[in-house]
């Protein structure tokens, strides 16, 4: 195994010398045909013989004690095999969290899983679950974050962010030539993936196989083993395809219940959570309540930045939404304050939803930056450029790479920013008011442990194997491109096997670390193969060219299958984080621009065009990268204008718990989106030089839209999303 720890930059990879010219190209997804023809098999679709169907039984209250179950009516229904409400391994957990408690006697949140009905058909299981009567002794619950803020705690000890104060922010605000001190809020939000959470559990003796749609398999394997009380080596998880996850497709209660039920009835069981159940049994993004303080001198330079946040968490939850994560390294200012308060509520746990921290924190910060720029009489782009730091303004670390100013300049030129009129309401098109807005984008860069095995077969084909997952981002394709570039093979000669814990443990999908981490492990495995091929060619890797399935050196051109011979060549690569993570401030950056139209009569907002310019290291596939960027920008539109889980604070449940009422952008809401990349390989970050992209492109997108709304009509909303009623209330007279 070739293992590289990022204590220093990697000296160089075969893919950097590659001439196959497949890396970075906008190649079609290698799994694309399978997906569009319905041949890709998702979690609920694996064909298992003699499978039974489960349906979750859930709590009719948000807080209280279960005093009884009436299951006799349910048991008597046709097709019912079992009603499981008496197994103490039923876990009080949201998807992805190790259960803090077992058993179903205590209710911590609305719709909490208490058991499952198992039957010969889905319909029979559903009817049986609904026929179970749960008796509850209700207790008062806490459902309002700000009502309980006096009981808030500080950041968990293991949280990425801790409170930090540099200088006296009150004094800086008092002495500033211009300042902003405003409150901003975002609502609870959910992942809303198209594919529901679903699992099939199959036991063979003491060994459990789970077919599911999960993002990080090695972690899910450990949690599942602990939940059902077996050793992790007896668990196999298979998840070749994922129909959207966004951080939510970690191990969930349906997987645990499927395993419990399958063991109990002696046959495989499949369970899919109903859409309404997902809203309360998969963790949410917390609501956030943010105070932004910015102070500037008469020249427009920031003298202080303060970002204080209050978030919520469910009982026993350890995660804290890192709201200020993007603010900390973004702009220069000598005085800095970042604080975090966590309020415990009787709700499902809060956890990671796409771009935790930056997605909501940058919505507030970049709105405040726009407000201060106006107060100073400065152009919003120039104001941000003026406050560009030379090094991380909080830690003093040098940036690994940072091209934010170039993103701002190129974006402004491409978008036609010079045509923007700074006075709100200056541009009109009939009954529509037209405005432009912009925002910076930033997303922390991460690298996690990842392994991959690459085999060069006797037929000259390469096979990549890792339990890394493809959450829809194009992992199958980019890993094939990395291997193809390293080994001199066309993509058609590279096979990629993912999503099976019998394979080497990969990074998994999450935190925008998947491509760089898994890709680096594949590249490192290929290094060993290239070294072996060079030795067989009687040369060094640096003096050998690999192209179209041949090795070329010293006036010799030899086919790879001939060099391999009768025994396949096998190599494993492993990447892990090291000192570089502490030596350099690592992040991806970008600039978002939006033009909107606001109806002067109704307050309706229409996004007319958007542009995102992003710097995220090496672009591994231009087409899949653009797709990721478009998806992130669409999330930003949703967070700005419509998306939020509406909480009934009397009873502790979300009232819009389906995709009909939980509004996300649809085709009519989204114009053509332009995406441009500024490529700059970041070898301080990882060997392949790539940085996280998908979550970066949410950052700042919402603020660009809401800043454009202000420029169009003069309405500034700080309680997001900016729904029609909020815009209408502030519109000027016609």
């Amino acid at each position: 195994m070739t293992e590289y720890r990022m204590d220093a930059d990697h000296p160089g990879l075969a893919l950097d010398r590659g001439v196959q010219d497949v890396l970075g190209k906008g190649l079609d997804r290698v799994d694309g045909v399978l997906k569009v023809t319905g041949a890709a098999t998702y979690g609920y679709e694996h064909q298992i013989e003699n499978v039974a169907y489960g349906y979750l039984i859930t709590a009719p209250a948000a807080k209280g004690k279960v005093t009884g179950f009436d299951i006799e009516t349910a048991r008597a229904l046709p097709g019912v095999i079992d009603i499981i409400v008496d197994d103490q391994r039923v876990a009080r957990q949201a998807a992805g969290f190790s259960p803090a408690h077992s058993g179903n006697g205590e209710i911590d949140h609305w719709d909490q899983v208490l058991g499952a009905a198992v039957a010969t058909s889905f319909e029979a299981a559903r009817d049986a679950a609904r026929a179970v009567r749960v008796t509850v002794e209700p207790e008062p619950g806490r459902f309002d974050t700000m009502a309980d803020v006096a009981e808030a705690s500080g950041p968990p000890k293991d949280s990425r962010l801790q409170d930090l104060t540099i200088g006296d922010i009150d004094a800086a605000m008092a002495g500033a030539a211009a300042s902003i001190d405003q409150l901003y809020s975002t609502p609870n939000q959910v992942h809303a993936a198209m594919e529901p959470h679903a699992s099939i559990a199959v036991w063979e003796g003491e060994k459990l196989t789970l077919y599911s749609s999960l993002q990080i398999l090695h972690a899910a394997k450990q949690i599942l083993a602990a939940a059902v009380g077996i050793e992790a080596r007896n668990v196999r998880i298979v998840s070749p395809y994922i129909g959207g996850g966004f951080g939510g497709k970690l191990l969930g209660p349906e997987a645990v219940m499927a395993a419990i039920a399958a063991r109990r009835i002696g046959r495989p069981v499949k369970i899919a959570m109903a859409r309404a159940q997902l809203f309360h049994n998969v963790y949410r993004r917390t609501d956030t309540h943010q105070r932004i303080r910015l102070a500037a001198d008469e020249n427009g330079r920031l003298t202080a930045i303060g970002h204080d946040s209050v978030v919520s968490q469910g009982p026993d939850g350890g995660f804290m939404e890192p709201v200020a994560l993007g603010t900390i390294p973004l702009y220069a200012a000598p005085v800095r304050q970042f604080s975090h308060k966590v309020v415990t509520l009787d709700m499902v746990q809060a956890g990671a939803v796409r771009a935790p921290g930056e997605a909501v924190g940058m919505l507030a910060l970049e709105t405040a930056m726009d407000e201060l720029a106006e107060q100073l009489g400065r152009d919003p782009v120039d104001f941000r450029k003026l406050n560009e730091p030379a090094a991380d303004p909080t830690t003093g670390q040098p940036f690994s790479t940072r091209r934010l100013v170039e993103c701002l300049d190129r974006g402004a030129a491409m978008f036609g920013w010079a045509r923007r009129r700074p006075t709100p309401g200056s541009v009109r098109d009939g009954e529509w008011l037209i405005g432009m807005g912009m925002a910076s984008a930033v997303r922390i860069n991460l690298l996690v442990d990842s392994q991959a095995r690459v085999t060069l077969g006797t037929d000259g084909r390469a096979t990549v194997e890792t339990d890394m997952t493809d959450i829809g981002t194009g992992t199958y394709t980019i890993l094939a491109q990395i291997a193809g570039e390293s080994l001199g093979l066309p993509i058609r000669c590279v096979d990629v096997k993912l999503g099976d814990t019998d394979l080497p443990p990969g990074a998994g999908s999450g935190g925008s670390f998947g491509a760089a981490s898994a890709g680096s492990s594949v590249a490192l495995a290929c290094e060993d193969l290239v070294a072996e091929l060079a030795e067989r060619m009687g040369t060094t890797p640096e003096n050998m060219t690999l192209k179209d399935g041949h090795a070329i050196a010293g006036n010799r051109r030899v086919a790879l299958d001939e060099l391999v011979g009768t025994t396949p060549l096998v190599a494993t690569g492993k990447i892990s984080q090291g000192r570089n993570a502490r030596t350099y401030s690592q992040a991806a950056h970008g600039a978002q621009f939006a033009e909107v139209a606001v109806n002067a009569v109704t307050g309706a907002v229409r996004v007319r065009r958007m542009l995102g310019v992003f710097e995220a290291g090496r672009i591994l596939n231009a087409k899949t990268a653009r797709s990721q960027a478009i998806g992130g920008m669409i999330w930003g539109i949703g967070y700005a204008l419509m998306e939020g889980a509406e909480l009934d604070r009397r009873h502790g449940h979300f009232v819009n718990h389906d995709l009909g009422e939980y509004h996300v952008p649809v085709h009519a809401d989204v114009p053509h989106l332009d995406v441009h990349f500024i490529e700059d390989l970041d070898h301080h970050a990882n060997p392949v030089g790539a940085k996280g992209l998908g979550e970066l492109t949410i950052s700042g997108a919402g603020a660009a839209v809401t800043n454009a709304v202000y420029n169009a009509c003069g309405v500034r909303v700080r309680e997001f999303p900016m729904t029609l009623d909020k815009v209408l209330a502030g519109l000027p007279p016609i």
Side-chain angles (χ1 to χ4, degrees):
M1 178 188 294
T2 295
E3 180 173 356
Y4 193 81
R5 180 180 173 86
M6 285 300 296
D7 289 327
D9 297 1
H10 192 277
L13 295 168
L15 65 84
D16 295 318
R17 303 186 300 272
V19 296
Q20 191 62 38
D21 199 28
V22 293
L23 191 61
K25 300 297 182 184
L27 305 182
D28 292 343
R29 296 171 185 261
V30 298
D31 55 335
V33 172
L34 292 176
K35 288 183 173 179
V36 299
T37 59
T41 305
Y42 291 83
Y44 201 66
E45 299 174 339
H46 292 268
Q47 298 301 304
I48 307 295
E49 291 185 5
N50 197 35
V51 70
Y53 295 80
Y55 196 95
L56 297 176
I57 299 166
T58 60
K63 182 68 175 175
K65 293 182 173 59
V66 176
T67 58
F69 294 93
D70 181 353
I71 64 174
E72 295 311 312
T73 300
R75 280 192 183 280
L77 293 174
V80 173
I81 299 170
D82 202 354
I83 305 295
I84 303 173
V85 293
D86 58 351
D87 194 308
Q88 291 304 300
R89 293 174 298 173
V90 175
R92 289 157 60 189
Q93 69 175 98
F97 288 92
S98 298
H101 304 285
S102 291
N104 56 7
E106 299 282 341
I107 298 174
D108 286 338
H109 62 83
W110 185 273
D111 224 20
Q112 177 181 311
V113 173
L114 304 177
V118 186
T120 55
S121 70
F122 168 80
E123 292 79 8
R126 179 194 59 198
D127 292 348
R130 291 176 176 176
V132 173
R133 295 293 173 259
V134 183
T135 305
V136 175
E137 182 181 310
E139 299 173 359
R142 300 159 297 175
F143 311 124
D144 189 329
T145 300
M146 296 311 290
D148 290 300
V149 71
E151 305 298 321
S153 60
K157 291 182 179 179
D158 60 351
S159 174
R160 177 175 293 277
L161 293 190
Q162 299 296 320
D163 291 351
L164 174 68
T165 298
I166 302 174
D168 187 338
I169 193 166
D170 292 329
M173 294 289 289
S179 64
I180 288 290
D181 185 350
Q182 292 288 355
L183 301 178
Y184 306 84
S185 66
T186 60
N188 287 283
Q189 297 160 342
V190 301
H191 305 87
M194 185 71 74
E195 177 199 26
H197 290 57
S199 296
I200 306 173
V202 181
W203 287 89
E204 295 180 16
E206 291 298 311
K207 294 189 178 296
L208 169 63
T209 299
L210 186 80
Y211 299 90
S212 193
S213 290
L214 301 173
Q215 296 178 220
I216 304 177
L217 300 193
H218 60 85
K221 178 177 179 176
Q222 300 296 325
I223 296 171
L224 180 59
V228 300
I230 62 175
E231 294 184 19
R233 60 185 174 86
N234 288 329
V235 174
R236 179 190 179 200
I237 298 179
V238 179
S239 179
Y241 300 101
I242 304 171
F246 314 117
K249 289 279 177 70
L250 305 180
L251 192 82
E254 95 290 344
V256 177
M257 282 307 309
I260 290 171
R263 188 65 175 267
R264 180 151 160 168
I265 71 170
R267 60 190 280 194
V269 171
K270 64 191 308 182
I271 298 178
M273 274 198 267
R275 181 66 64 182
Q277 293 172 341
L278 290 172
F279 276 72
H280 296 104
N281 285 290
V282 178
Y283 53 81
R284 61 195 163 89
R285 193 199 299 275
T286 174
D287 53 322
T288 73
H289 307 268
Q290 307 175 46
R291 181 187 184 189
I292 302 287
R293 285 178 286 179
L294 301 174
D297 63 21
E298 61 278 4
N299 297 316
R301 294 192 181 276
L302 291 171
T303 56
I305 296 177
H307 199 161
D308 305 304
S309 61
V310 179
V311 299
S312 67
Q313 182 52 278
D316 304 308
F319 175 87
M320 182 192 76
E321 181 81 17
V323 177
L325 193 59
T327 307
I328 290 173
L330 193 53
Y331 299 120
V335 176
R336 315 177 74 77
Q337 178 174 303
F338 311 103
S339 71
H340 319 78
K341 293 182 178 179
V342 183
V343 177
T344 300
L345 300 179
D346 296 303
M347 294 176 60
V348 69
Q349 292 172 346
V353 181
R354 202 175 190 202
E358 292 98 339
V360 286
M362 291 290 288
L363 189 54
L365 174 69
E366 288 300 286
T367 300
M369 286 290 288
D370 207 61
E371 294 187 62
L372 186 56
E374 183 184 44
Q375 190 181 133
L376 289 162
R378 286 191 166 271
D379 177 82
V381 172
D382 292 339
F383 180 48
R384 287 164 173 83
K385 290 168 56 180
L386 180 65
N387 289 285
E388 170 73 0
D392 188 301
T394 301
T395 67
Q397 297 169 324
F399 296 117
S400 57
T401 59
R402 180 169 165 128
R403 305 280 288 277
L404 176 57
V405 169
E406 189 173 342
C407 291
L408 292 166
D409 284 339
R410 193 169 301 183
M414 294 176 68
F415 197 70
W417 182 255
R419 298 194 301 271
R420 171 186 176 268
R421 296 186 187 176
T423 302
S426 297
V427 181
R428 193 172 185 123
D429 182 3
E431 65 180 30
W432 295 91
L433 300 166
I434 313 302
M436 292 186 190
M438 59 78 55
S440 296
V442 64
R443 170 62 182 163
I444 186 175
N445 187 65
L446 302 171
L447 181 70
V448 301
D449 289 0
S450 189
Q451 295 183 36
R453 180 170 59 237
V454 180
T455 301
L456 193 56
T458 57
D459 57 357
R461 296 182 63 85
T463 301
V464 176
E465 297 174 298
T466 170
D467 81 355
M468 175 63 186
T469 51
D470 191 329
I471 198 172
T473 51
T475 308
Y476 281 100
T477 308
I478 63 168
L479 296 188
Q481 288 175 274
I482 289 171
E485 193 68 41
S486 300
L487 299 174
L489 291 171
I491 292 299
R492 66 178 183 276
C493 295
V494 181
D495 301 310
V496 179
K497 297 179 180 179
L498 303 178
D500 188 335
T501 55
D502 280 356
L503 303 177
S509 300
S512 294
F513 53 64
S517 302
S520 291
S521 64
V522 170
L524 291 170
C526 290
E527 287 297 289
D528 273 1
L529 298 179
V530 171
E532 178 62 27
L533 293 173
E535 184 175 338
R536 296 185 182 195
M537 286 289 289
T539 187
T540 64
E542 293 76 16
N543 291 318
M544 178 179 67
T545 299
L546 296 173
K547 172 75 171 173
D548 294 332
H550 290 77
I552 305 165
N555 294 321
R556 296 174 61 212
R557 188 173 189 269
V558 183
L560 294 187
D561 57 352
E562 183 180 337
L563 279 179
V564 171
T566 58
T567 303
L569 301 181
V570 182
T572 300
K574 179 181 179 181
I575 187 66
S576 58
Q577 190 53 273
R579 283 194 300 270
N580 273 21
R582 301 182 297 276
T583 303
Y584 298 97
S585 177
Q586 298 183 20
H589 303 90
Q592 307 265 18
F593 294 82
E595 180 180 279
V596 306
V598 180
N599 191 286
V601 178
T602 68
V605 176
R606 297 287 181 265
V607 180
R608 304 207 330 175
R609 61 191 181 102
M610 284 188 76
L611 166 69
V613 179
F614 305 107
E615 172 265 310
R618 187 198 296 265
I619 301 302
L620 300 172
N621 180 304
K623 181 180 287 188
T624 60
R626 180 177 180 274
S627 178
Q628 281 289 286
I630 288 172
M633 293 165 72
I634 292 171
W635 274 64
I637 294 172
Y639 280 5
L641 300 179
M642 64 197 69
E643 191 167 342
E646 297 295 334
L647 180 67
D648 183 337
R649 290 184 172 84
R650 300 167 302 168
H651 305 296
H653 66 84
F654 298 126
V655 296
N656 56 336
H657 51 203
D658 57 50
L659 295 186
E661 295 298 329
Y662 183 84
H663 293 161
V664 298
V666 296
H667 285 294
D669 300 309
V670 181
H672 175 73
L673 305 180
D674 287 321
V675 175
H676 182 77
F677 296 113
I678 295 175
E679 192 167 14
D680 187 4
L681 275 62
D682 190 345
H683 287 302
H684 298 315
N686 53 75
V688 299
K691 294 195 285 193
L693 176 63
E695 292 172 311
L696 165 70
T697 59
I698 302 175
S699 172
V705 171
T706 58
N707 290 339
V709 171
Y710 176 78
N711 181 245
C713 65
V715 177
R716 181 76 74 184
V717 173
R718 301 183 184 93
E719 181 184 352
F720 302 108
M722 183 181 263
T723 48
L724 185 149
D725 56 311
K726 299 171 187 174
V727 177
L728 187 61
L731 281 178
I734 298 175

